Amino acid sequence: MLTLPFLDDLPRFLFFTGKGGVGKTTLACATAVRLAEQGKRILLTSTDPASNVGQVFGVTVGNTITPVPTVPGLNALEIDPQQAADAYRATIIDPVRDLLPAAEISAMTEQLSGACTTEIASFNEFTSLLADETATAAYDHVLFDTAPTGHTVRLLQLPGEWTSYLSDGKGDVSCLGPVAGLDRLRHDYAGALAALTDPTRTRLVLVTRPQGSSLREAARTSGELHELGMTNAHLVVNGVMPSYAVTSTPRDELAHAVRAREDAALDAVPDAVAALPRTTLPLLAVNTVGVPALRALLEPEAPSLPEPAAEIATLPDGLTDLRGLVDELETDGHGLVMCMGKGGVGKTTVAAAVALELASRGHDVLLTTTDPAAHLNETLQAETPHLTVERIDPQVAIEGYRERVMAGKGKDLDDAGRAVLAEDLKSPCTDEVAVFQQFSHVVFRARKQFVVLDTAPTGHTLLLLDATGSYHREITRQMSEGAHFVTPLMRLQDPAQTKVVIVTLPETTPVLEAQELQSDLARAGITPWAWVVNGSLTAAAPTSPFLRARAHAEAEPLTSVRGLCQRVAVLPLLAREPVGAAALSELTRPLTEGTVIDAH
């Protein structure tokens, strides 16, 4: 009998958070359906730039509250980051447009044009829902499909001293805007923080998968948010392979191996989340898109779901394997390979496999990461000839950046001014700027060797690219006419120097998120060189009827990906995890050899 502790004694606000690919959006949508069908009035809000709440319900949901026709009592809202940013800039700039010189307006607009401002504008939209009770008075519960990590919630704690500091002219305008907007922000942030840290009003639902990396991420997030005062937390382990999927096919090695790995991960749940109330949800045989599937997620015995055919699913024509991509990469002799995508799709695994294969062919390779949660050394487990492993440590970069700013801009300030500047530099808005200098150095090194870069999850990566674009525009303005120069963004835009590889999973939501990433890259003038679809059951050809049903659910996502890029490699799911050089080398064996690979 399925029990759902995370729904017991519900407070008014629910926050669903977790590593990418764990089913956060799906669970938020399923919970919204269940509560609405119990007669509750529900508002489901997504603050994810790649939100697909509308696709899950099969309706168009935008920046205005929209009823879901198939679920009476349920309204949905997708906060559009670009619209939010445009409106936010207007509130800051319009009041002073006729009061300041055009040059200052232009500089202010540039300052407020980055991805950091876009993130804050979206953040402000959801804080207003928390702080303004009249905005949500019509609803019994408000559900947020978001990831309020320590990085984001830190914005709630920006000090009131900013106002006097900026009004006295002691600091530059930040991406939060000048003093005109800070009074309202401080009021809303205080109200939002009060709601988030009140256990009678807000519950944090940490969504995870039965995998070690996902559970460790949930533990890290739980610890950060607990320090910020968010103490009412529940753990939901999503997608556990049901027992019947194993017992019905005793000879399927893949099914037994997956279940054994899940059991081992759940036996070693990190202490930080082990004591939390826990809900375990089984993996379904179909994609959780549409109301019947969402209903079945929290009621697995629901009879309304169709049973897919149990015959072997086949891959679409025109797909290759990872070895084929490496063969093409090798012809250049050097260059930057950027593995990008949402968290949890296997970027670290793919990056490590590509770097290891290039090194095994005698090329000097630098494998590095900008992802704070990456564990490259754990993945490789041993030193390899021709392969150097480094990490762009965000914390080291941030501390160095703060020291340089304090030594420069802060040297002429009094003690009070230096104290406020130091607090300003704790804002997460400065983090990507700090990492940027080290990132630029890595891009430069790719002129003479292979550099394989495992990037942070999509949102942080776009902030990094935005910093690259801002740097490019600044250099362009400073250079004299006719001068020759090359900025990091120009290298990223040049396919002869940079190969962007988008990594995803053969599931509807990850593919939609990766497609959104491709659109964002196009706006930056960057065209992905290839896609890698990780963890495919279709390519693994399992014998278990349950896994074959799951494989059939991959047909639409795989076909969609095939139409998005001319190079698409598929990695099958395997019984053993690709940890260590020997296991990673299997990732670059031809598909025709029947090797099956684990994506996580």
Side-chain angles (χ1 to χ4, degrees):
M1 178 65 182
L2 182 68
T3 58
L4 305 170
F6 82 101
L7 294 181
D8 292 341
D9 301 319
L10 274 183
R12 190 145 184 270
F13 299 116
L14 275 78
F15 274 84
F16 293 84
T17 182
K19 191 173 182 177
V22 297
K24 186 171 70 258
T25 296
T26 298
L27 182 59
C29 292
T31 302
V33 169
R34 183 180 181 89
L35 295 176
E37 291 183 342
Q38 292 175 349
K40 304 291 182 61
R41 298 164 300 172
I42 305 300
L43 175 62
L44 173 61
T45 301
S46 174
T47 61
D48 189 340
S51 173
N52 66 312
V53 168
Q55 288 91 335
V56 171
F57 286 110
V59 297
T60 300
V61 178
N63 211 38
T64 57
I65 294 176
T66 304
V68 177
T70 53
V71 187
L74 172 59
N75 286 351
L77 170 67
E78 291 179 335
I79 295 174
D80 184 299
Q82 196 55 55
Q83 288 185 20
D86 291 343
Y88 182 73
R89 277 191 294 272
T91 62
I92 301 299
I93 296 175
D94 286 355
V96 297
R97 188 176 298 277
D98 296 330
L99 304 176
L100 298 176
E104 290 190 30
I105 294 296
S106 177
M108 187 182 295
T109 302
E110 175 73 18
Q111 184 72 33
L112 295 167
S113 66
C116 188
T117 299
T118 302
E119 182 179 86
I120 289 169
S122 299
F123 183 67
N124 289 343
E125 293 284 328
F126 100 75
T127 57
S128 66
L129 293 175
L130 285 166
D132 184 2
E133 294 188 3
T134 60
T136 58
Y139 302 99
D140 297 303
H141 298 287
V142 182
L143 281 54
F144 292 92
D145 170 27
T146 184
T149 63
H151 172 100
T152 302
V153 176
R154 175 70 184 94
L155 289 169
L156 295 172
Q157 298 184 318
L158 291 175
E161 287 88 342
W162 274 40
T163 300
S164 59
Y165 180 58
L166 292 174
S167 64
D168 291 341
K170 296 179 181 177
D172 295 331
V173 176
S174 75
C175 57
L176 279 175
V179 63
L182 291 180
D183 286 332
R184 182 185 61 81
L185 288 180
R186 193 170 64 255
H187 177 271
D188 285 355
Y189 283 7
L193 186 60
L196 286 171
T197 56
D198 183 350
T200 67
R201 299 167 64 191
T202 298
R203 174 170 295 167
L204 178 68
V205 181
L206 293 162
V207 188
T208 185
R209 291 276 191 177
Q211 300 160 353
S213 61
S214 185
L215 287 162
R216 287 190 295 272
E217 177 71 9
R220 184 189 64 79
T221 300
S222 175
E224 288 183 353
L225 297 179
H226 190 275
E227 289 181 2
L228 293 167
M230 297 181 69
T231 57
N232 183 4
H234 280 239
L235 184 69
V236 175
V237 182
N238 186 33
V240 176
M241 183 174 290
S243 298
Y244 75 84
V246 179
T247 57
S248 62
T249 51
R251 296 183 180 179
D252 191 311
E253 177 187 356
L254 181 59
H256 283 268
V258 170
R259 182 57 188 262
R261 283 204 309 274
E262 292 180 352
D263 288 344
L266 292 174
D267 286 342
V269 173
D271 292 340
V273 291
L276 296 179
R278 186 187 309 180
T279 300
T280 300
L281 300 177
L283 185 68
L284 298 183
V286 296
N287 282 331
T288 42
V289 176
V291 173
L294 292 171
R295 188 181 296 121
L297 180 65
L298 301 182
E299 296 179 6
E301 292 77 21
S304 56
L305 291 178
E307 284 295 331
E311 66 268 13
I312 298 175
T314 58
L315 292 170
D317 293 334
L319 303 181
T320 185
D321 49 38
L322 195 59
R323 187 180 190 86
L325 296 186
V326 175
D327 289 342
E328 285 195 68
L329 289 170
E330 188 182 19
T331 60
D332 292 336
H334 66 89
L336 176 66
V337 181
M338 292 183 67
C339 294
M340 302 182 67
K342 277 284 191 178
V345 298
K347 294 189 306 297
T348 300
T349 297
V350 172
V354 169
L356 186 67
E357 179 64 20
L358 287 169
S360 71
R361 299 181 185 188
H363 300 283
D364 289 330
V365 181
L366 169 64
L367 173 61
T368 187
T369 181
T370 63
D371 188 348
H375 306 284
L376 287 176
N377 289 325
E378 293 179 16
T379 301
L380 288 167
Q381 289 193 339
E383 293 185 2
T384 302
H386 304 290
L387 178 60
T388 303
V389 180
E390 295 180 0
R391 176 171 176 257
I392 299 176
D393 189 321
Q395 195 56 45
V396 172
I398 291 165
E399 290 175 359
Y401 177 76
R402 288 171 180 164
E403 290 175 0
R404 291 191 297 274
V405 173
M406 291 300 296
K409 184 183 295 186
K411 64 182 175 62
D412 296 325
L413 299 176
D414 57 23
D415 290 343
R418 285 178 59 83
V420 175
L421 178 59
E423 183 68 22
D424 183 358
L425 290 171
K426 293 179 183 179
S427 167
C429 309
T430 66
D431 292 0
E432 297 298 333
V433 176
V435 175
F436 173 66
Q437 291 180 341
Q438 293 188 40
F439 170 77
S440 299
H441 179 63
V442 167
V443 173
F444 183 77
R445 291 174 66 176
R447 297 186 310 154
K448 297 183 178 180
Q449 68 175 128
F450 282 110
V451 176
V452 182
L453 180 63
D454 167 32
T455 68
T458 302
H460 294 99
T461 297
L462 292 179
L463 286 176
L464 187 61
L465 289 178
D466 180 77
T468 309
S470 298
Y471 177 80
H472 170 82
R473 290 189 294 271
E474 185 64 26
I475 291 296
T476 302
R477 281 195 297 267
Q478 293 178 7
M479 296 298 290
S480 59
E481 186 175 352
H484 176 74
F485 62 95
V486 178
T487 66
L489 180 62
M490 293 166 67
R491 295 191 190 280
L492 297 181
Q493 292 169 333
D494 183 356
Q497 300 187 62
T498 301
K499 303 292 191 295
V500 173
V501 177
I502 292 181
V503 184
T504 188
L505 297 174
E507 301 171 14
T508 301
T509 298
V511 169
L512 287 169
E513 292 172 338
Q515 188 173 356
E516 179 67 23
L517 169 60
Q518 180 161 285
S519 299
D520 289 334
L521 291 172
R523 286 192 287 273
I526 299 171
T527 302
W529 179 75
W531 281 48
V532 172
V533 182
N534 215 354
S536 170
L537 282 167
T538 304
T543 59
S544 161
F546 177 84
L547 293 184
R548 286 186 175 180
R550 290 285 304 174
H552 276 277
E554 297 177 359
E556 185 175 344
L558 287 171
T559 301
S560 176
V561 170
R562 184 66 191 90
L564 293 170
C565 186
Q566 64 178 357
R567 294 180 188 84
V568 179
V570 178
L571 304 184
L573 188 72
L574 195 114
R576 66 168 176 163
E577 293 186 79
V579 175
L584 283 168
S585 65
E586 295 184 16
L587 289 160
T588 46
R589 293 175 61 184
L591 280 175
T592 54
E593 295 185 8
T595 301
V596 280
I597 303 159
D598 182 276
H600 305 291

